[in-house]
């Protein structure tokens, strides 16, 4: 593992520990933990399901969460409180851990996401998932992975590059891409850190061909799912969002674009995961309201 990946893991862990200190499972949420969804590494390939208790026995729209962490960090435990806050808004939420670099190179996370989607379709009856209304959220590296997977689901030419197949009858109704990375280019001074991470993430350490293959912008077509695109005034990746929005407009894909914060309230990268804050609540309310527009 590179020095930058080790440093990032330590910094993210410290920040997440502080963010989630003293949080507990809300009394109005029912949860099922540590369900194995894959068989490559049963210690990693696990997921949780969260549902609002008041909707017991009711088929609910689903949100699949793809966590961030620079492709080298993160798991479902770090996202449990954020995901349970989404469940409180009336959704069944699937929160999963995927295989990370450098131990597992691309496309391992996409393979795991696809397995989770298969699991959702197979277990819909058990957990009362409405498979006609499947949404997904991803932030930072998770937004990148979700953006690519949405391309796989809607772009047959791109899907043909992968050995796995999207589950039968599976479709993403709409997605939320939060503080994401969508295009990585060599020589871009703003992406030096990202390029260093690519050395751990990509099998050939970030060739031009590999970077083109993981470019979300090039995967968007007119059948790409509707997108809620979010960034923040002090998000170090905020320059990525306008290019995504431009591609969505060019392809007539329905979208909402929001930049949260202002010159006084300088919200940063993935602020929406801090469920203790009013700003996170406002953002997550807006995204769930966006999803509800497609529920009827």
């Amino acid at each position: 593992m590179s020095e930058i990946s080790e440093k990032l893991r330590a910094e993210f862990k410290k920040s997440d520990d502080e963010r989630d200190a003293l949080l507990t499972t809300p009394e109005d949420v029912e949860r099922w933990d540590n369900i194995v969804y894959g068989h490559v590494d049963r210690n990693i390939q696990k997921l949780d399901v969260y549902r609002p208790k008041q909707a017991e026995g009711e088929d609910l729209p689903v949100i699949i969460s793809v966590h961030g962490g620079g492709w080298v960090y993160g798991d479902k435990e770090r996202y449990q409180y954020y995901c349970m806050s989404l469940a409180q808004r009336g959704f069944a939420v699937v929160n999963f851990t995927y295989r990370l670099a450098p131990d597992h190179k691309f496309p391992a996370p996409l393979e795991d996401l696809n397995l989770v989607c298969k699991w959702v379709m197979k277990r819909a009856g058990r957990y009362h998932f409405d498979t006609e209304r499947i949404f997904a959220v991803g932030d930072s590296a998770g937004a990148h992975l979700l953006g690519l997977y949405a391309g796989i689901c809607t772009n047959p030419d791109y899907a043909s590059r992968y050995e796995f197949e999207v589950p039968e009858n599976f479709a993403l109704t709409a997605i939320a891409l939060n503080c994401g990375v969508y295009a990585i280019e060599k020589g871009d001074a703003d992406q030096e850190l990202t390029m260093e991470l690519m050395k751990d993430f990509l099998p050939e350490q970030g060739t031009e061909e590999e970077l083109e293959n993981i470019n979300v912008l090039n995967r968007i077509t007119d059948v790409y799912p509707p997108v809620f695109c979010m960034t923040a005034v002090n998000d170090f990746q905020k320059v990525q969002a306008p290019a995504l929005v431009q591609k969505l407009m060019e392809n007539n894909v329905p979208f909402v674009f929001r930049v949260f914060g202002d010159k006084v309230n300088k919200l940063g990268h993935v602020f929406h995961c801090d469920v203790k804050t009013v700003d996170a609540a406002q953002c997550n309310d807006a995204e769930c309201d966006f999803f509800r527009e497609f529920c009827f």
Side-chain angles (χ1 to χ4, degrees):
M1 181 187 301
S2 67
E3 182 178 343
I4 193 67
S5 290
E6 288 186 357
K7 181 180 178 181
L8 185 148
R9 284 186 175 184
E11 290 179 352
F12 280 8
K13 181 182 185 303
K14 181 177 183 294
S15 176
D16 287 351
D17 286 345
E18 294 172 353
R19 180 195 68 198
D20 294 342
L22 304 180
L23 289 176
T24 58
T25 298
E27 292 184 359
D28 57 351
V29 171
E30 187 173 15
R31 61 185 294 170
W32 294 262
D33 297 341
N34 298 316
I35 303 165
V36 175
Y37 67 83
H39 302 286
V40 176
D41 192 328
R42 297 171 66 91
N43 292 321
I44 295 175
Q45 293 171 316
K46 294 181 179 181
L47 60 81
D48 297 347
V49 176
Y50 314 127
R51 287 178 51 98
K53 287 183 178 179
Q54 66 182 18
E56 183 177 358
E58 177 185 348
D59 286 352
L60 293 179
V62 183
I63 297 176
I64 299 170
S65 172
V66 187
H67 72 73
W71 305 276
V72 300
Y73 168 86
D75 54 39
K76 62 185 179 63
E77 278 65 42
R78 298 296 175 175
Y79 277 68
Q80 60 180 313
Y81 302 110
Y82 162 65
C83 286
M84 285 189 286
S85 78
L86 300 180
Q88 289 177 301
R89 291 169 166 85
F91 294 83
V93 181
V94 178
N95 170 29
F96 73 103
T97 298
Y98 55 83
R99 290 171 293 160
L100 298 171
D103 294 333
H104 304 280
K105 304 291 188 180
F106 180 84
L110 291 181
E111 294 169 348
D112 289 354
L113 174 53
N114 193 63
L115 288 173
V116 169
C117 295
K118 285 186 176 181
W119 183 91
V120 166
M121 299 300 288
K122 185 176 181 180
R123 302 299 182 189
R126 167 68 178 84
Y127 295 98
H128 295 283
F129 298 144
D130 181 349
T131 57
E132 296 297 316
R133 298 181 293 174
I134 298 179
F135 306 96
V137 295
D139 63 87
S140 196
H144 172 255
L145 295 170
L146 176 55
L148 290 179
Y149 190 70
I152 292 170
C153 291
T154 55
N155 185 330
D157 288 341
Y158 186 55
S160 68
R161 301 185 186 188
Y162 296 91
E163 295 182 0
F164 60 83
E165 294 184 0
V166 173
E168 186 176 359
N169 297 322
F170 177 87
L172 289 166
T173 305
I175 61 177
L177 301 177
N178 301 313
C179 303
V181 178
Y182 309 114
I184 304 165
E185 298 181 0
K186 286 186 175 182
D188 186 335
D190 293 329
Q191 294 187 325
E192 290 182 5
L193 171 60
T194 304
M195 278 303 304
E196 285 299 310
L197 292 170
M198 291 301 100
K199 295 177 181 178
D200 281 348
F201 181 54
L202 297 173
E204 302 299 324
Q205 299 189 335
T207 65
E208 294 288 354
E209 291 78 13
E210 286 180 315
L211 295 180
E212 191 285 326
N213 188 54
I214 64 167
N215 185 317
V216 174
L217 307 183
N218 293 345
R219 316 283 79 94
I220 295 173
T221 66
D222 61 358
V223 292
Y224 200 78
V227 177
F228 188 110
C229 175
M230 179 275 282
T231 186
V233 293
N234 210 32
D235 173 18
F236 63 86
Q237 295 287 3
K238 69 178 181 180
V239 297
Q240 292 274 325
L244 175 68
V245 169
Q246 180 63 37
K247 279 291 184 179
L248 296 173
M249 287 194 295
E250 290 175 1
N251 287 277
N252 298 314
V253 176
F255 71 92
V256 167
F257 179 40
R258 291 284 302 275
V259 181
F260 287 87
D262 54 40
K263 61 182 180 181
V264 175
N265 187 20
K266 296 182 179 180
L267 297 175
H269 191 63
V270 301
F271 73 90
H272 68 298
C273 291
D274 187 353
V275 298
K276 299 174 184 176
T277 68
V278 172
D279 295 306
Q282 292 176 342
C283 175
N284 297 329
D285 281 344
E287 295 193 355
C288 287
D289 287 345
F290 177 74
F291 289 162
R292 288 189 191 96
E293 293 179 12
F294 301 93
C295 285
F296 304 100

